[in-house]
Amino acid sequence: MATALAALRKSGPRLRRHLLVALLVSLCVLSLLMRRAALHIDPWRGDNLPFYAAGLALMALRFGLPRSDWRHAVPVARFSEYAALFALISLMGATASYPVAALTHGYADAALQRIDLALGFDWLECYRRVAAHPVLQLLGTAAYRSIYFTPAVLLAHAAWTGRQGRAYEFLAAFWLAAVITLGVFSLMPAVGPFSYLWHGAIPYMPESELWQQGLIPGLRAHSVTQVDIAHLRGIVSAPSFHTAAAVLYIAAGWRIAGLRWPIVTLNAGMLLSTPVEGTHYLIDMIIGAAVAGVSLSLVTAYRAMLRRSGAREAGLLAA
């Protein structure tokens, strides 16, 4: 029994190894997509220096701290690894949206807007309400930008409590959600409701602005040939990745009694801000929530498979 339990405890590190392999494969796929879309990244741009500095700092903390006698060395080293993996997934996902958009054709805005109307959602009325109230603008912007705050809290908690398995499960679900989002986006590219529905003077510019209507055609026409990783723009309409992320954050935070309601409240605010600040149709958000659900289900199933495999291996060793 002790041997079987020890094998089960290794499911976290085992998932870590599999996640690292998945990220390596993702990087190779991203390189192929960039080549096919005739896009490139200039590694010598000065704007990239903060990324290099942050990467080196995280690596130094991850591999240097465990050799020290500082009492917080292990949790800080763990958090450094979690933060580096999360940043890598985010950076690769945002970068991959450019070649994916370059390889698409047509726009799904008309269909997405028809679905919104059938659901009884009026994006223009929602936008006008926010544009008329500066307080809503301030709260919406803050909530929308919190997409990187919650995971920092979740991963720090996992690092300090030694729950490696939960950290890698969260990271795996986040990676899966990014992959699925990009796959679905390739089937229904859109410029979003702000570009599609609003015509005339702009009383309030949302956080996501109006990049899609100019950037996607430029990528398709190959007039945009370089991806500036220091100034990546959100160009994915459906599914809404902010929605997928919020659902993942709430699911992870729900398991932590002390953080449950602050995380739920903050991410409920992010969900409410997403239609305007993210310039998303309601159906974008519904699909985004479904993406998160699928990602969580796949990670749960994979974790169960690892546990069964570990139990079988332990049984063979005991025999």
Side-chain angles (χ1 to χ4, degrees):
M1 178 62 72
T3 305
L5 289 174
L8 290 177
R9 292 191 190 103
K10 292 180 181 179
S11 63
R14 196 171 182 184
L15 179 59
R16 171 183 178 271
R17 292 195 298 271
H18 295 177
L19 177 61
L20 292 177
V21 171
L23 292 179
L24 181 59
V25 173
S26 299
L27 187 60
C28 294
V29 172
L30 174 58
S31 298
L32 293 173
L33 286 173
M34 292 284 286
R35 178 183 289 261
R36 185 177 177 189
L39 292 170
H40 71 280
I41 296 173
D42 181 1
W44 306 112
R45 286 181 62 96
D47 292 347
N48 297 337
L49 289 178
F51 292 95
Y52 300 152
L56 289 173
L58 290 173
M59 288 180 64
L61 291 172
R62 169 61 182 85
F63 295 106
L65 277 180
R67 302 175 183 176
S68 71
D69 296 327
W70 185 37
R71 61 174 180 160
H72 298 303
V74 172
V76 172
R78 286 174 179 165
F79 176 74
S80 299
E81 178 176 320
Y82 303 157
L85 291 175
F86 183 87
L88 180 61
I89 294 168
S90 301
L91 193 60
M92 287 199 301
T95 302
S97 67
Y98 282 62
V100 169
L103 299 171
T104 60
H105 304 280
Y107 295 99
D109 289 274
L112 296 172
Q113 170 62 4
R114 284 196 299 270
I115 296 173
D116 265 18
L117 292 176
L119 293 171
F121 181 73
D122 187 343
W123 187 89
L124 287 173
E125 175 58 27
C126 188
Y127 170 73
R128 292 190 184 100
R129 188 180 299 274
V130 172
H133 294 86
V135 173
L136 292 179
Q137 298 167 21
L138 180 64
L139 292 174
T141 300
Y144 193 76
R145 290 178 178 176
S146 71
I147 188 171
Y148 296 118
F149 175 76
T150 303
V153 173
L154 291 170
L155 294 173
H157 181 271
W160 257 261
T161 57
R163 295 177 177 174
Q164 299 181 65
R166 287 193 181 183
Y168 297 126
E169 288 166 20
F170 171 76
L171 291 167
F174 191 79
W175 168 77
L176 267 175
V179 171
I180 297 171
T181 294
L182 290 169
V184 177
F185 168 57
S186 68
L187 303 176
M188 52 178 67
V191 295
F194 194 22
S195 297
Y196 184 69
L197 298 175
W198 187 264
H199 306 288
I202 298 174
Y204 170 65
M205 182 63 75
E207 181 72 12
S208 292
E209 302 186 14
L210 290 168
W211 296 107
Q212 293 99 325
Q213 67 177 5
L215 189 52
I216 294 178
L219 289 167
R220 290 175 175 176
H222 303 297
S223 59
V224 176
T225 59
Q226 182 172 301
V227 178
D228 183 358
I229 61 174
H231 300 90
L232 291 170
R233 308 299 181 185
I235 58 176
V236 177
S237 182
S240 163
F241 191 71
H242 262 73
T243 300
V247 173
L248 293 178
Y249 299 166
I250 290 172
W254 193 260
R255 304 165 71 180
I256 307 171
L259 297 175
R260 179 178 301 162
W261 292 113
I263 286 176
V264 168
T265 301
L266 179 59
N267 286 280
M270 187 165 75
L271 288 171
L272 290 174
S273 72
T274 294
V276 172
E277 298 303 331
T279 63
H280 280 291
Y281 300 99
L282 178 60
I283 186 59
D284 294 351
M285 298 181 64
I286 294 173
I287 300 173
V291 166
V294 170
S295 300
L296 289 169
S297 298
L298 289 174
V299 170
T300 299
Y302 196 69
R303 181 187 60 191
M305 182 190 75
L306 290 179
R307 286 178 173 173
R308 289 193 299 269
S309 175
R312 283 196 299 270
E313 290 176 4
L316 290 174
L317 289 173

Coordinates of all heavy atoms in Angstrom, one line a residue, residues 132-196:
A132 N -21.0 55.7 -21.3 CA -21.7 56.8 -20.6 C -21.3 56.9 -19.1 O -21.7 57.9 -18.4 CB -23.2 56.7 -20.7
H133 N -20.6 55.9 -18.6 CA -20.3 55.9 -17.2 C -18.8 55.6 -16.9 O -18.3 54.5 -17.1 CB -21.1 54.8 -16.5 CG -22.6 55.1 -16.5 ND1 -23.4 54.7 -17.5 CD2 -23.4 55.7 -15.5 CE1 -24.6 55.1 -17.3 NE2 -24.7 55.7 -16.1
P134 N -18.0 56.7 -16.6 CA -16.6 56.5 -16.4 C -16.2 55.5 -15.3 O -15.2 54.9 -15.4 CB -16.1 57.9 -16.0 CG -17.2 58.8 -16.6 CD -18.4 58.1 -16.6
V135 N -17.1 55.4 -14.3 CA -16.8 54.4 -13.2 C -16.8 53.0 -13.8 O -16.0 52.2 -13.4 CB -17.9 54.6 -12.1 CG1 -17.7 53.4 -11.1 CG2 -17.7 55.9 -11.4
L136 N -17.8 52.7 -14.7 CA -17.9 51.4 -15.3 C -16.6 51.1 -16.1 O -16.1 50.0 -16.2 CB -19.1 51.2 -16.1 CG -20.4 51.2 -15.4 CD1 -21.6 51.1 -16.4 CD2 -20.5 50.0 -14.4
Q137 N -16.1 52.2 -16.8 CA -14.9 52.1 -17.6 C -13.7 51.7 -16.7 O -12.9 50.8 -17.1 CB -14.7 53.4 -18.3 CG -15.8 53.8 -19.3 CD -15.6 55.2 -19.8 OE1 -14.6 55.8 -19.7 NE2 -16.7 55.8 -20.3
L138 N -13.6 52.4 -15.6 CA -12.5 52.2 -14.7 C -12.5 50.8 -14.1 O -11.5 50.1 -14.1 CB -12.5 53.2 -13.6 CG -11.4 53.1 -12.5 CD1 -10.0 53.4 -13.2 CD2 -11.6 54.1 -11.4
L139 N -13.7 50.4 -13.6 CA -13.8 49.1 -13.0 C -13.6 48.0 -14.1 O -13.0 46.9 -13.8 CB -15.2 48.9 -12.4 CG -15.4 49.8 -11.1 CD1 -16.9 49.7 -10.7 CD2 -14.5 49.4 -10.0
G140 N -14.2 48.2 -15.3 CA -14.1 47.2 -16.3 C -12.7 47.0 -16.8 O -12.2 45.9 -17.0
T141 N -11.9 48.1 -16.9 CA -10.5 48.0 -17.4 C -9.7 47.2 -16.3 O -8.9 46.4 -16.7 CB -9.9 49.4 -17.6 OG1 -10.7 50.1 -18.6 CG2 -8.5 49.3 -18.0
A142 N -9.9 47.6 -15.0 CA -9.1 46.9 -14.0 C -9.5 45.4 -13.9 O -8.5 44.6 -13.8 CB -9.5 47.6 -12.6
A143 N -10.7 45.1 -14.0 CA -11.1 43.7 -14.0 C -10.6 42.9 -15.2 O -10.1 41.8 -15.1 CB -12.6 43.6 -13.9
Y144 N -10.6 43.5 -16.4 CA -10.2 42.9 -17.6 C -8.7 42.6 -17.5 O -8.2 41.6 -18.0 CB -10.5 43.7 -18.8 CG -10.4 43.0 -20.1 CD1 -11.3 42.1 -20.5 CD2 -9.3 43.3 -21.0 CE1 -11.2 41.4 -21.7 CE2 -9.2 42.6 -22.2 CZ -10.1 41.7 -22.6 OH -10.0 41.1 -23.8
R145 N -7.9 43.6 -17.0 CA -6.5 43.4 -16.9 C -6.0 42.4 -15.8 O -4.9 42.1 -15.8 CB -5.8 44.8 -16.6 CG -5.9 45.8 -17.7 CD -5.3 47.1 -17.4 NE -5.3 48.1 -18.5 CZ -4.9 49.3 -18.4 NH1 -4.5 49.8 -17.2 NH2 -4.9 50.1 -19.4
S146 N -6.9 42.0 -15.0 CA -6.6 41.1 -13.9 C -6.3 39.7 -14.3 O -6.1 38.8 -13.5 CB -7.7 41.1 -12.8 OG -8.9 40.4 -13.3
I147 N -6.4 39.4 -15.6 CA -6.2 38.1 -16.2 C -4.8 37.5 -15.8 O -4.7 36.3 -15.7 CB -6.3 38.1 -17.7 CG1 -6.3 36.6 -18.3 CG2 -5.2 39.0 -18.4 CD1 -6.6 36.5 -19.7
Y148 N -3.8 38.4 -15.5 CA -2.5 37.8 -15.0 C -2.3 37.9 -13.5 O -1.3 37.4 -13.0 CB -1.4 38.6 -15.8 CG -1.4 38.4 -17.2 CD1 -1.6 39.5 -18.1 CD2 -1.3 37.1 -17.8 CE1 -1.6 39.3 -19.5 CE2 -1.3 37.0 -19.2 CZ -1.5 38.0 -20.0 OH -1.5 37.8 -21.4
F149 N -3.2 38.5 -12.8 CA -3.1 38.7 -11.4 C -3.5 37.4 -10.7 O -2.8 36.8 -9.8 CB -3.9 39.8 -10.9 CG -3.9 39.9 -9.4 CD1 -2.8 40.4 -8.7 CD2 -5.1 39.5 -8.6 CE1 -2.8 40.5 -7.3 CE2 -5.1 39.6 -7.3 CZ -4.0 40.1 -6.6
T150 N -4.7 36.9 -11.0 CA -5.2 35.7 -10.4 C -4.3 34.5 -10.5 O -4.1 33.8 -9.5 CB -6.6 35.3 -10.9 OG1 -7.5 36.4 -10.7 CG2 -7.2 34.1 -10.2
P151 N -3.8 34.2 -11.7 CA -2.9 33.0 -11.8 C -1.6 33.2 -10.9 O -1.1 32.2 -10.4 CB -2.5 32.9 -13.3 CG -2.8 34.2 -13.8 CD -4.0 34.7 -13.0
A152 N -1.1 34.4 -10.8 CA 0.0 34.6 -9.9 C -0.3 34.2 -8.4 O 0.5 33.6 -7.8 CB 0.5 36.1 -9.9
V153 N -1.5 34.6 -8.0 CA -2.0 34.2 -6.7 C -2.1 32.7 -6.5 O -1.7 32.1 -5.6 CB -3.3 34.9 -6.3 CG1 -3.9 34.4 -5.0 CG2 -3.1 36.4 -6.3
L154 N -2.8 32.1 -7.5 CA -3.0 30.6 -7.5 C -1.7 29.8 -7.5 O -1.5 28.9 -6.7 CB -3.8 30.2 -8.7 CG -5.3 30.7 -8.7 CD1 -5.9 30.4 -10.1 CD2 -6.1 30.0 -7.6
L155 N -0.7 30.2 -8.3 CA 0.5 29.5 -8.4 C 1.4 29.8 -7.2 O 2.1 28.9 -6.7 CB 1.2 29.9 -9.7 CG 0.5 29.5 -11.0 CD1 1.2 30.1 -12.2 CD2 0.5 28.0 -11.1
A156 N 1.3 31.0 -6.6 CA 2.1 31.3 -5.4 C 1.5 30.4 -4.3 O 2.3 29.9 -3.4 CB 2.0 32.8 -5.0
H157 N 0.2 30.3 -4.2 CA -0.4 29.4 -3.1 C 0.0 28.0 -3.3 O 0.4 27.3 -2.3 CB -1.9 29.5 -3.2 CG -2.6 28.7 -2.2 ND1 -3.0 27.4 -2.4 CD2 -3.0 29.1 -0.9 CE1 -3.6 27.0 -1.3 NE2 -3.6 27.9 -0.4
A158 N 0.1 27.5 -4.5 CA 0.5 26.1 -4.8 C 1.9 25.9 -4.4 O 2.3 24.9 -3.9 CB 0.3 25.8 -6.3
A159 N 2.8 26.9 -4.7 CA 4.2 26.8 -4.4 C 4.4 26.8 -2.9 O 5.2 26.0 -2.4 CB 5.0 28.0 -5.0
W160 N 3.7 27.7 -2.1 CA 4.0 27.8 -0.7 C 3.3 26.6 0.1 O 3.8 26.3 1.2 CB 3.4 29.1 -0.2 CG 4.6 30.0 0.1 CD1 5.2 30.3 1.3 CD2 5.3 30.8 -0.9 NE1 6.2 31.2 1.1 CE2 6.3 31.5 -0.2 CE3 5.2 31.0 -2.3 CZ2 7.2 32.4 -0.8 CZ3 6.0 31.8 -2.9 CH2 7.0 32.5 -2.2
T161 N 2.3 26.0 -0.5 CA 1.7 24.8 0.2 C 2.2 23.5 -0.3 O 1.8 22.5 0.2 CB 0.1 24.9 0.0 OG1 -0.2 24.9 -1.4 CG2 -0.4 26.1 0.7
G162 N 3.1 23.5 -1.3 CA 3.7 22.3 -1.8 C 2.8 21.5 -2.6 O 3.0 20.3 -2.8
R163 N 1.7 22.1 -3.2 CA 0.8 21.3 -4.0 C 1.2 21.4 -5.5 O 0.6 22.1 -6.3 CB -0.6 21.9 -3.8 CG -1.1 21.7 -2.4 CD -2.5 22.3 -2.1 NE -2.9 22.0 -0.8 CZ -4.0 22.5 -0.2 NH1 -4.8 23.3 -0.9 NH2 -4.4 22.1 1.0
Q164 N 2.2 20.6 -5.8 CA 2.8 20.7 -7.2 C 1.8 20.1 -8.2 O 1.7 20.7 -9.3 CB 4.1 19.8 -7.2 CG 5.2 20.3 -6.3 CD 6.4 19.5 -6.5 OE1 7.0 19.4 -7.5 NE2 6.8 18.8 -5.4
G165 N 1.1 19.1 -7.8 CA 0.1 18.5 -8.7 C -0.9 19.5 -9.2 O -1.3 19.6 -10.3
R166 N -1.5 20.3 -8.2 CA -2.5 21.3 -8.6 C -1.9 22.3 -9.5 O -2.6 22.8 -10.4 CB -3.0 21.9 -7.3 CG -3.9 21.0 -6.5 CD -4.7 21.8 -5.5 NE -5.6 21.0 -4.7 CZ -6.4 21.4 -3.7 NH1 -6.4 22.8 -3.5 NH2 -7.1 20.6 -3.1
A167 N -0.7 22.7 -9.3 CA 0.0 23.7 -10.1 C 0.1 23.2 -11.6 O -0.3 23.9 -12.5 CB 1.4 24.1 -9.6
Y168 N 0.6 22.0 -11.7 CA 0.7 21.5 -13.1 C -0.6 21.2 -13.7 O -0.7 21.3 -15.0 CB 1.6 20.2 -13.1 CG 3.0 20.5 -12.6 CD1 3.6 19.8 -11.5 CD2 3.8 21.5 -13.1 CE1 4.8 20.0 -11.0 CE2 5.1 21.8 -12.7 CZ 5.6 21.0 -11.6 OH 6.8 21.3 -11.1
E169 N -1.6 20.8 -13.0 CA -2.9 20.6 -13.5 C -3.5 21.9 -14.1 O -4.1 22.0 -15.1 CB -3.9 20.0 -12.5 CG -3.6 18.6 -12.1 CD -4.3 18.2 -10.8 OE1 -5.3 18.9 -10.4 OE2 -3.9 17.2 -10.2
F170 N -3.3 23.0 -13.3 CA -3.8 24.3 -13.7 C -3.0 24.7 -15.0 O -3.7 25.2 -15.9 CB -3.5 25.3 -12.6 CG -3.8 26.7 -13.0 CD1 -5.1 27.2 -13.1 CD2 -2.7 27.6 -13.2 CE1 -5.3 28.5 -13.5 CE2 -2.9 28.9 -13.6 CZ -4.2 29.4 -13.8
L171 N -1.7 24.6 -15.0 CA -0.9 25.0 -16.2 C -1.3 24.1 -17.4 O -1.4 24.7 -18.5 CB 0.6 24.8 -15.9 CG 1.1 25.8 -14.8 CD1 2.5 25.4 -14.4 CD2 1.2 27.2 -15.4
A172 N -1.5 22.8 -17.2 CA -1.9 22.0 -18.3 C -3.3 22.4 -18.9 O -3.5 22.4 -20.1 CB -2.0 20.5 -17.9
A173 N -4.2 22.7 -18.0 CA -5.6 23.2 -18.4 C -5.5 24.5 -19.2 O -6.2 24.7 -20.2 CB -6.5 23.3 -17.2
F174 N -4.6 25.4 -18.7 CA -4.4 26.7 -19.3 C -3.8 26.5 -20.7 O -4.3 27.1 -21.7 CB -3.5 27.6 -18.5 CG -3.4 29.0 -18.9 CD1 -4.5 29.9 -18.6 CD2 -2.4 29.5 -19.6 CE1 -4.4 31.2 -19.0 CE2 -2.3 30.8 -20.0 CZ -3.3 31.7 -19.7
W175 N -2.8 25.6 -20.8 CA -2.2 25.3 -22.1 C -3.3 24.7 -23.1 O -3.4 25.1 -24.3 CB -1.1 24.3 -22.0 CG -0.6 23.8 -23.2 CD1 0.2 24.4 -24.2 CD2 -0.8 22.5 -23.8 NE1 0.5 23.5 -25.2 CE2 -0.2 22.3 -25.0 CE3 -1.5 21.4 -23.3 CZ2 -0.2 21.2 -25.8 CZ3 -1.6 20.2 -24.0 CH2 -1.0 20.1 -25.3
L176 N -4.0 23.7 -22.6 CA -5.1 23.1 -23.4 C -6.1 24.1 -23.9 O -6.5 24.1 -25.1 CB -5.8 22.0 -22.7 CG -5.2 20.6 -22.8 CD1 -6.0 19.7 -21.9 CD2 -5.3 20.1 -24.2
A177 N -6.5 25.0 -23.0 CA -7.5 26.0 -23.4 C -6.9 26.9 -24.5 O -7.7 27.3 -25.4 CB -7.9 26.9 -22.2
A178 N -5.6 27.3 -24.4 CA -5.0 28.1 -25.4 C -5.0 27.4 -26.8 O -5.3 28.0 -27.8 CB -3.6 28.5 -25.0
V179 N -4.6 26.1 -26.8 CA -4.6 25.3 -28.0 C -6.0 25.2 -28.6 O -6.2 25.4 -29.8 CB -4.0 23.9 -27.7 CG1 -4.1 23.0 -28.9 CG2 -2.5 24.0 -27.3
I180 N -7.0 24.9 -27.8 CA -8.3 24.7 -28.3 C -8.9 26.0 -28.8 O -9.5 26.1 -29.9 CB -9.3 24.1 -27.2 CG1 -8.8 22.7 -26.8 CG2 -10.7 24.1 -27.8 CD1 -9.5 22.2 -25.6
T181 N -8.6 27.1 -28.1 CA -9.0 28.4 -28.5 C -8.5 28.8 -29.9 O -9.3 29.2 -30.8 CB -8.6 29.5 -27.5 OG1 -9.3 29.3 -26.3 CG2 -8.9 30.9 -28.0
L182 N -7.2 28.5 -30.2 CA -6.6 28.8 -31.5 C -7.2 27.9 -32.6 O -7.4 28.4 -33.7 CB -5.1 28.7 -31.4 CG -4.4 29.7 -30.6 CD1 -2.9 29.3 -30.3 CD2 -4.5 31.1 -31.2
G183 N -7.5 26.7 -32.2 CA -8.1 25.8 -33.2 C -9.5 26.2 -33.6 O -9.8 26.3 -34.8
V184 N -10.3 26.6 -32.6 CA -11.7 27.1 -33.0 C -11.6 28.5 -33.7 O -12.4 28.7 -34.6 CB -12.5 27.2 -31.7 CG1 -13.9 27.8 -32.0 CG2 -12.6 25.8 -31.0
F185 N -10.7 29.3 -33.2 CA -10.6 30.6 -33.9 C -10.3 30.5 -35.4 O -10.7 31.3 -36.2 CB -9.4 31.4 -33.2 CG -9.0 32.7 -33.9 CD1 -9.9 33.7 -34.2 CD2 -7.7 32.8 -34.3 CE1 -9.5 34.8 -34.9 CE2 -7.2 34.0 -34.9 CZ -8.1 35.0 -35.2
S186 N -9.5 29.5 -35.7 CA -9.2 29.3 -37.2 C -10.4 29.0 -38.0 O -10.4 29.2 -39.2 CB -8.1 28.2 -37.3 OG -8.7 26.9 -37.0
L187 N -11.5 28.5 -37.3 CA -12.7 28.1 -38.0 C -13.7 29.2 -38.1 O -14.6 29.2 -38.9 CB -13.3 26.9 -37.3 CG -12.5 25.6 -37.2 CD1 -13.2 24.6 -36.4 CD2 -12.1 25.1 -38.6
M188 N -13.6 30.2 -37.2 CA -14.5 31.3 -37.2 C -13.8 32.6 -36.9 O -14.1 33.3 -35.8 CB -15.7 31.0 -36.2 CG -15.2 30.6 -34.8 SD -16.6 30.4 -33.6 CE -17.3 28.9 -34.3
P189 N -12.9 33.1 -37.7 CA -12.3 34.4 -37.5 C -13.3 35.5 -37.6 O -14.2 35.5 -38.3 CB -11.2 34.5 -38.6 CG -11.8 33.6 -39.7 CD -12.5 32.5 -39.0
A190 N -13.1 36.5 -36.7 CA -14.0 37.7 -36.7 C -13.3 38.9 -36.2 O -12.2 38.8 -35.6 CB -15.2 37.4 -35.8
V191 N -13.8 40.1 -36.6 CA -13.2 41.3 -36.2 C -13.8 41.8 -34.9 O -13.3 42.8 -34.3 CB -13.3 42.4 -37.3 CG1 -12.6 42.1 -38.5 CG2 -14.8 42.7 -37.6
G192 N -14.9 41.2 -34.4 CA -15.5 41.6 -33.2 C -16.6 42.6 -33.3 O -16.7 43.3 -34.3
P193 N -17.5 42.7 -32.3 CA -18.6 43.5 -32.4 C -18.3 45.0 -32.5 O -19.1 45.8 -33.1 CB -19.4 43.2 -31.1 CG -18.4 42.7 -30.2 CD -17.4 41.9 -31.0
F194 N -17.3 45.5 -31.9 CA -17.0 46.9 -31.9 C -16.7 47.3 -33.4 O -17.2 48.3 -33.9 CB -15.8 47.2 -31.1 CG -15.6 48.7 -30.8 CD1 -16.6 49.6 -30.9 CD2 -14.3 49.1 -30.4 CE1 -16.4 50.9 -30.6 CE2 -14.1 50.5 -30.1 CZ -15.2 51.4 -30.2
S195 N -15.8 46.6 -34.1 CA -15.5 46.9 -35.5 C -16.7 46.6 -36.4 O -16.9 47.4 -37.3 CB -14.3 46.1 -35.9 OG -13.1 46.4 -35.2
Y196 N -17.4 45.6 -36.1 CA -18.5 45.2 -37.0 C -19.8 46.0 -36.8 O -20.5 46.3 -37.8 CB -18.9 43.7 -36.7 CG -19.9 43.1 -37.7 CD1 -19.6 42.9 -39.0 CD2 -21.2 42.8 -37.2 CE1 -20.5 42.4 -39.9 CE2 -22.1 42.3 -38.1 CZ -21.8 42.1 -39.4 OH -22.8 41.5 -40.2

